[in-house]
Amino acid sequence: MARGAQLSINPDAMVHNLRVARAYAGSARIVAPVKADAYGHGLLLAAAALRGADAFAVACLEEALPLREAGYAHPILLLEGVFDGTELLPVCRYRLDIVVHADWQIRLLELERLPRPVNVWIKIDTGMHRLGFAPGQVADAFHRLSRCRNVASHIRFMTHFACADNRADAMTLRQLATFDAATADLDGEHSLANSAALLGWPQTHRQWVRPGIMLYGASPFVDQRDAPRLRPAMTLSSRLIAIRQVGAGEAVGYGHTWVASESSTVGTVALGYGDGYPRHAPSGTPVLVNGVRTQLIGRVSMDMLTVDLEPLDGRVEVGDEVVLWGGGLPAEEVARHVGTIAYELYCGVGARVPRVTMPMPSTSAPGG
Ligand SMILES: *Cc1c(COP(=O)(O)O)cnc(C)c1O
């Protein structure tokens, strides 16, 4: 058999998580972010599982076109809008919605003569300070866009939260108040909530919510309390290709960063940072071997990593399965050990790792 490294994607889990999102969203419509290859899950696979969403969101044209080409008729929102004027015609042709976050994007729209008007979402900078119009500029942006022949009526308003993943941080409420003040006299639907706000800040739901990470089955919260029953859609696994005994005082791996304090059974796994497992994962990062929780030891190398097999008590052999994150071992927990978030682990899995899909619940064509 092949090397054994494998990225299993479970579409049923995404279908389930979308149902959870619906339950929280109530009457709000759901934009499913499928940017960055659907957080590493595979764009078209995720879109098929999440086709019950009301819209998709992506970071750029290149991520939107495959969805249209696959037949999805949903609204597709470009979260950063266009990057230059040449993108407006394809935006129009493929019926994409665009975020407008800056003056220069309004100017591009004013200069073009498009075959039909485009749906626009005005992005407001309510405190994230990354993208969007300052609150005091929103009315002017709205009025200019309302007069622009290339912009469809029903302009929407959106913002993005900086700290919604921390339920103790009042920044979310300040951002909400800033958003409400900036849009008070302007007519249009609102979209504020990411996963954390959908789950933790119901007053932000409004007409459209944009939950990403929760659809893939990870909790967005810094603390893991009160996480809803989400199912991880991604499992990264591989196999043991060697098992050895090391004596007390002997060390393992590059730099000899882990030294056995007593005689220990060590397993070598066919998966490394060349597959997207973080090299800076420290000894002690949890892994599952045959479903038994144990830990990474020593440094992660490009094609391999080493694990402590002591907890398996001898019930282990070459070829046995090792789960790095996913079913039975939340990516959030691994991420905490590594000093990152599940999002980054998901997005980082290398192209070398073969993708495997668990069977889809239904084979019907994409809907709209
Ligand atoms: C990615 C993204 C989201 C989704 O955020 P999650 O934390 O994954 O729920 C929502 N809104 C915008 C603008 C985004 O870029």
Side-chain angles (χ1 to χ4, degrees):
M1 205 189 138
R3 183 166 172 245
Q6 173 172 301
L7 188 71
S8 317
I9 304 296
N10 180 355
D12 284 345
M14 292 187 249
V15 171
H16 167 82
N17 297 333
L18 179 60
R19 225 176 280 132
V20 174
R22 277 269 178 235
Y24 278 85
S27 62
R29 279 169 286 173
I30 294 179
V31 182
V34 290
K35 63 201 186 192
D37 202 27
Y39 292 44
H41 291 66
L43 174 64
L44 293 180
L45 183 58
L50 299 172
R51 64 181 185 271
D54 301 291
F56 293 118
V58 294
C60 56
L61 206 49
E62 291 79 0
E63 294 182 325
L65 298 196
L67 290 173
R68 281 285 178 260
E69 276 150 17
Y72 291 97
H74 300 63
I76 301 174
L77 175 60
L78 299 186
L79 288 165
E80 281 111 84
V82 296
F83 296 94
D84 62 52
T86 67
E87 295 193 327
L88 281 173
L89 207 52
V91 156
C92 198
R93 177 166 310 131
Y94 288 94
R95 286 166 295 105
L96 307 178
D97 287 19
I98 53 173
V99 163
V100 171
H101 63 77
D103 235 34
W104 62 265
Q105 290 179 320
I106 299 183
R107 248 175 289 125
L108 290 179
L109 280 162
E110 287 169 341
L111 289 172
E112 282 292 326
R113 174 158 219 120
L114 297 174
R116 74 173 95 83
V118 173
N119 287 326
V120 162
W121 302 56
I122 295 179
K123 177 110 178 211
I124 306 174
D125 179 6
T126 56
M128 176 88 155
H129 299 322
R130 189 176 66 174
L131 280 188
F133 294 95
Q137 304 170 331
V138 173
D140 179 59
F142 176 78
H143 292 121
R144 275 173 74 191
L145 288 164
S146 302
R147 284 194 302 270
C148 178
R149 67 183 164 207
N150 293 319
V151 174
S153 45
H154 307 298
I155 294 171
R156 298 179 176 130
F157 298 96
M158 64 182 283
T159 192
H160 197 50
F161 292 124
C163 306
D165 59 339
N166 181 353
R167 275 178 264 214
D169 195 326
M171 184 61 199
T172 301
L173 296 178
R174 288 199 294 277
Q175 287 191 255
L176 179 62
T178 303
F179 181 90
D180 282 340
T183 56
D185 302 321
L186 307 175
D187 205 29
E189 293 175 338
H190 295 174
S191 177
L192 302 90
N194 54 5
S195 298
L198 175 58
L199 296 172
W201 303 88
Q203 60 274 65
T204 66
H205 290 180
R206 307 294 165 88
Q207 288 79 37
W208 294 87
V209 294
R210 310 186 306 271
I213 194 72
M214 71 174 286
L215 298 181
Y216 304 102
S219 163
F221 294 112
V222 286
D223 59 40
Q224 300 299 305
R225 287 179 306 112
D226 312 324
R229 281 184 300 280
L230 300 170
R231 296 189 194 147
M234 173 191 290
T235 297
L236 178 66
S237 64
S238 190
R239 295 190 302 157
L240 286 170
I241 57 170
I243 296 175
R244 76 196 61 247
Q245 208 66 33
V246 301
E250 290 191 296
V252 173
Y254 283 122
H256 274 186
T257 58
W258 185 85
V259 182
S261 56
E262 55 200 320
S263 173
S264 305
T265 314
V266 174
T268 302
V269 182
L271 191 123
Y273 65 78
D275 304 291
Y277 191 90
R279 181 180 176 279
H280 55 279
S283 292
T285 304
V287 301
L288 297 182
V289 179
N290 288 342
V292 175
R293 182 175 281 255
T294 178
Q295 53 171 337
L296 183 78
I297 57 176
R299 250 186 216 157
V300 174
S301 46
M302 186 182 291
D303 309 320
M304 286 172 274
L305 53 81
T306 38
V307 296
D308 176 13
L309 295 180
E310 283 302 309
L312 281 103
D313 241 346
R315 288 183 300 276
V316 62
E317 51 188 72
V318 165
D320 285 354
E321 187 191 52
V322 180
V323 169
L324 290 316
W325 63 73
L329 179 58
E332 301 94 296
E333 190 186 337
V334 175
R336 244 189 340 275
H337 281 263
V338 178
T340 185
I341 51 177
Y343 302 68
E344 189 183 12
L345 297 181
Y346 287 164
C347 288
V349 178
R352 168 164 81 176
V353 182
R355 270 60 176 169
V356 188
T357 309
M358 301 177 187
M360 272 296 280
S362 144
T363 53
S364 63

